[in-house]
Amino acid sequence: MARTKEFDPDVVLDRALQLFWQHGYEATSIADLTEHLGIARACIYATYGCKHELFMKALQRHVEVVDALVTAELARPGPALPAVRGLIDRFVTESCSENRFLGCLVTNAAVELAARDAEVARLVESSWARTETALASALARARAQGELAPGADPRAMARFLLVFLQGVWVLERAPDTATRLRDAGRVVASILG
């Protein structure tokens, strides 16, 4: 008779996500995972596969949650430009807070792994494409509603904002970057009008 799991796989996956987010993929060992997750190495392998498979599941979970939040924030009815500005302001403000995150897990994965891991690169690209599309849709709505000039290029602006957000998440990991981030956020706000 098979034994039932004595842990909640979703809770453990969320804890693994936090550990990978805090330390990165390479710096997180299986020993770190067993200690942090409170489950045996055999349970990790039986439930999630190898360390890379566990990382990919954690990254996929993060992408699903964050992309859905960003898309929902940008798709709210009403004026679209305040939603775009609000998203940018929220990311800059969170990145400058004492309780800031450790960058975005997707951005961190891109920096650490995407150049040599095709599976990570595909997931990163799909997340960036969703964010860019959500931004472009909001900006197209803003243009249609007269919030942006008729000649504005929503796709190019969305790409600019995606690159800006990725930069915010990279700088967030470094100490003493709040002034840079706030200044950059003000410039982006002025570009949006």
Side-chain angles (χ1 to χ4, degrees), residues 8-193:
D8 183 333
D10 288 329
V11 169
V12 170
L13 183 60
D14 287 338
R15 295 188 75 212
L17 185 156
Q18 293 300 322
L19 192 63
F20 284 126
W21 199 347
Q22 184 175 11
H23 297 289
Y25 176 76
E26 293 293 338
T28 302
S29 68
I30 288 291
D32 295 331
L33 287 163
T34 59
E35 181 179 331
H36 184 76
L37 303 178
I39 62 173
R41 178 185 302 240
C43 291
I44 292 173
Y45 289 124
T47 306
Y48 307 102
C50 68
K51 175 181 144 180
H52 186 267
E53 291 171 301
L54 174 57
F55 177 76
M56 290 306 298
K57 288 174 181 161
L59 184 58
Q60 180 65 45
R61 163 87 47 96
H62 177 78
V63 163
E64 289 168 1
V65 169
V66 171
D67 288 358
L69 289 171
V70 168
T71 300
E73 189 170 344
L74 293 171
R76 280 184 277 190
L81 210 49
V84 174
R85 282 193 206 102
L87 177 77
I88 289 171
D89 184 56
R90 181 171 62 82
F91 279 90
V92 169
T93 300
E94 288 174 1
S95 294
C96 294
S97 78
E98 288 187 26
N99 298 321
R100 68 182 181 262
F101 298 107
L102 301 167
C104 170
L105 184 60
V106 174
T107 306
N108 296 346
V111 170
E112 183 180 11
L113 299 169
R116 66 182 199 282
D117 186 321
E119 193 175 1
V120 169
R122 277 190 300 277
L123 190 52
V124 165
E125 177 52 37
S126 70
S127 176
W128 286 350
R130 277 191 296 280
T131 300
E132 183 182 308
T133 298
L135 284 163
S137 294
L139 292 165
R141 259 187 19 257
R143 185 179 64 188
Q145 295 170 173
E147 299 169 68
L148 288 175
D153 182 344
R155 179 61 64 183
M157 291 176 76
R159 288 184 175 147
F160 165 74
L161 293 174
L162 176 68
V163 170
F164 167 77
L165 291 172
Q166 296 309 303
V168 167
W169 289 317
V170 170
L171 265 67
E172 178 183 65
R173 294 190 64 95
D176 304 321
T177 60
T179 301
R180 280 189 181 109
L181 293 172
R182 286 187 191 105
D183 286 348
R186 279 192 292 276
V187 170
V188 168
S190 73
I191 289 169
L192 290 173

